[in-house]
Amino acid sequence: AEHQHARYNPLRDDWVLVSAHRVKRPWQGQVEKPPPEDVPRWDPNNPLCPGATRANGEVNPQYESTFVFPNDFPALQPDAPEPDDSDHPLFRAAPARGVCKVMCFHPWSDMTLPLMSLAEIRAVIDAWAELATELGASYPWVQIFENKGAMMGCSNPHPHCQVWASSFLPNEACLEDRTQREHLSQHGVPMLLEYAEQEARRKERLVVENVDWLVVVPYWATWPYQTLLLPRRHVCRLQDLSEGERDSLASIMKRLLIKYDNLFEVSFPYSMGWHGAPTGPHLKEDCRHWQLHAHYYPPLLRSATVRKFMVGYEMLAQAQRDLTPEQAAERLRSLPEVHYK
């Protein structure tokens, strides 16, 4: 808690520099504008709202729960042509195909997950699992992710996430596949199952827990208030969760996100996403080394207006943080679970 040291991240096979003594330094860096709180509940010009017209001319239905539709500006398309053959090993290209979908969580633009009811959050979880099953039937990787807040590049305040299915395993998936496979081979237990058991026993980085799940600031966290959401039992994919685990997931997500909002009394920005065993052709393979988990990466550091930037040393050398994961967890853990609003 007092001196600099490096911590190993076994999931990514890399290191993070923890400079605990720097947390006392005064801040003279960039101060962000507080995010606007006056989001209209319904805006006919917002392409994610019920009844609004999207860029491609389609009109959204008057949806009352979740709503899934193809991304009008997809990063991946199913019928992309093959790239030309390379004439040199330093100039390689590979096919990249897929589909991209958008999923609205709620019909109201001024709603966020921590303000939604448990039943509404459960509907989101069920829709995630349904998409993971549908797209995972043919695609090797289905990435569910939410960018929340303009600070994280979200251009629309309406509560929503994206789902990208790809014909290839992305870099992070390949890395986690390798490290988890090696851990199971060497230790005989899935890495994140063992890690969850250790954190549940140690409790120093624990934020919230219930009978099926726990949330920790990981020992190797890079972002100030980064968290890792883990199931207690061995489960490979989101669609493998039982009815009870989906209910308890809705509960623990709401508790965590309320704490995030209460930290600086602001609608807390973050990028989050689910990682689970690959799908498509991998459904027939032995994927016992995988453990389902969700990453939350929030940028806020000292207040609603001061953020952490991954620049300089972080970009050119390795990840670095000042606030220790234990200090971050203690602060999150101590926050109330009743939303400040």
Side-chain angles (χ1 to χ4, degrees):
E2 298 293 333
H3 305 287
Q4 72 267 17
H5 59 281
R7 297 190 182 192
Y8 180 62
N9 181 347
L11 194 58
R12 300 198 73 258
D13 190 22
D14 63 9
W15 293 80
V16 56
L17 173 63
V18 181
S19 308
H21 60 289
R22 277 167 49 94
V23 77
K24 299 175 183 177
R25 68 190 176 111
W27 181 258
Q28 295 181 332
Q30 180 169 333
V31 175
E32 304 279 346
K33 291 182 179 179
E37 295 281 346
D38 55 345
V39 177
R41 178 157 291 182
W42 184 81
D43 180 356
N45 297 315
N46 186 330
L48 299 187
C49 282
T53 302
R54 303 204 308 274
N56 63 357
E58 291 190 19
V59 178
N60 295 335
Q62 295 292 340
Y63 65 92
E64 297 181 352
S65 179
T66 59
F67 169 51
V68 178
F69 61 92
N71 195 316
D72 296 327
F73 304 98
L76 293 164
Q77 295 177 323
D79 53 358
E82 294 272 344
D84 295 334
D85 292 335
S86 173
D87 61 356
H88 193 282
L90 293 179
F91 300 93
R92 296 166 58 191
R97 300 185 179 93
V99 295
C100 298
K101 294 183 180 290
V102 176
M103 187 175 100
C104 296
F105 296 154
H106 196 280
W108 296 352
S109 292
D110 59 347
M111 185 63 72
T112 58
L113 281 170
L115 297 175
M116 288 165 55
S117 70
L118 291 178
E120 290 168 335
I121 299 173
R122 170 63 196 266
V124 170
I125 294 166
D126 287 340
W128 281 343
E130 185 176 336
L131 279 171
T133 301
E134 173 194 334
L135 298 174
S138 53
Y139 286 102
W141 189 256
V142 180
Q143 183 60 65
I144 298 168
F145 65 97
E146 179 193 4
N147 293 326
K148 179 171 179 276
M151 198 179 293
M152 297 309 290
C154 182
S155 59
N156 193 312
H158 195 92
H160 72 284
C161 73
Q162 297 188 55
V163 183
W164 294 10
S166 61
S167 61
F168 55 90
L169 288 186
N171 294 341
E172 292 296 311
C174 285
L175 184 55
E176 289 193 3
D177 185 72
R178 174 178 66 80
T179 57
Q180 290 180 97
R181 189 183 300 275
E182 290 173 353
H183 188 92
L184 180 64
S185 175
Q186 294 171 10
H187 302 282
V189 61
M191 177 199 294
L192 292 181
L193 181 63
E194 182 177 13
Y195 180 67
E197 292 170 350
Q198 285 287 324
E199 290 287 31
R201 180 174 61 83
R202 296 170 185 256
K203 296 192 181 302
E204 56 190 327
R205 285 169 296 275
L206 191 67
V207 178
V208 286
E209 63 178 331
N210 62 25
V211 65
D212 297 312
W213 301 86
L214 68 156
V215 176
V216 300
V217 177
Y219 177 79
W220 53 79
T222 55
W223 293 93
Y225 292 98
Q226 175 182 337
T227 54
L228 187 62
L229 172 57
L230 295 162
R232 292 185 184 270
R233 78 169 177 99
H234 186 206
V235 53
C236 291
R237 300 177 178 92
L238 192 63
Q239 53 268 44
D240 298 335
L241 296 175
S242 68
E243 293 291 314
E245 287 168 333
R246 294 184 187 197
D247 285 339
S248 57
L249 175 56
S251 173
I252 205 163
M253 283 175 55
K254 185 176 176 71
R255 293 170 62 196
L256 169 65
L257 297 179
I258 285 175
K259 284 180 178 290
Y260 270 159
D261 280 9
N262 284 345
L263 179 61
F264 299 128
E265 295 195 349
V266 67
S267 185
F268 206 69
Y270 58 75
S271 280
M272 72 80 64
W274 285 99
H275 282 173
T279 49
H282 303 281
L283 290 170
K284 299 178 181 179
E285 298 175 358
D286 182 359
C287 291
R288 287 177 299 163
H289 55 291
W290 270 92
Q291 175 75 329
L292 176 70
H293 58 283
H295 297 280
Y296 284 83
Y297 298 121
L300 292 180
L301 174 61
R302 292 170 179 244
S303 70
T305 60
V306 175
R307 66 175 296 185
K308 163 76 172 179
F309 287 91
M310 290 293 187
V311 295
Y313 190 86
E314 291 88 350
M315 292 180 68
L316 298 165
Q318 70 180 42
Q320 182 271 336
R321 63 179 291 131
D322 298 344
L323 186 72
T324 68
E326 293 75 24
Q327 291 167 335
E330 182 179 12
R331 186 165 185 189
L332 288 173
R333 190 168 53 243
S334 67
L335 291 167
E337 295 186 11
V338 175
H339 199 277
Y340 75 92
K341 284 189 174 180

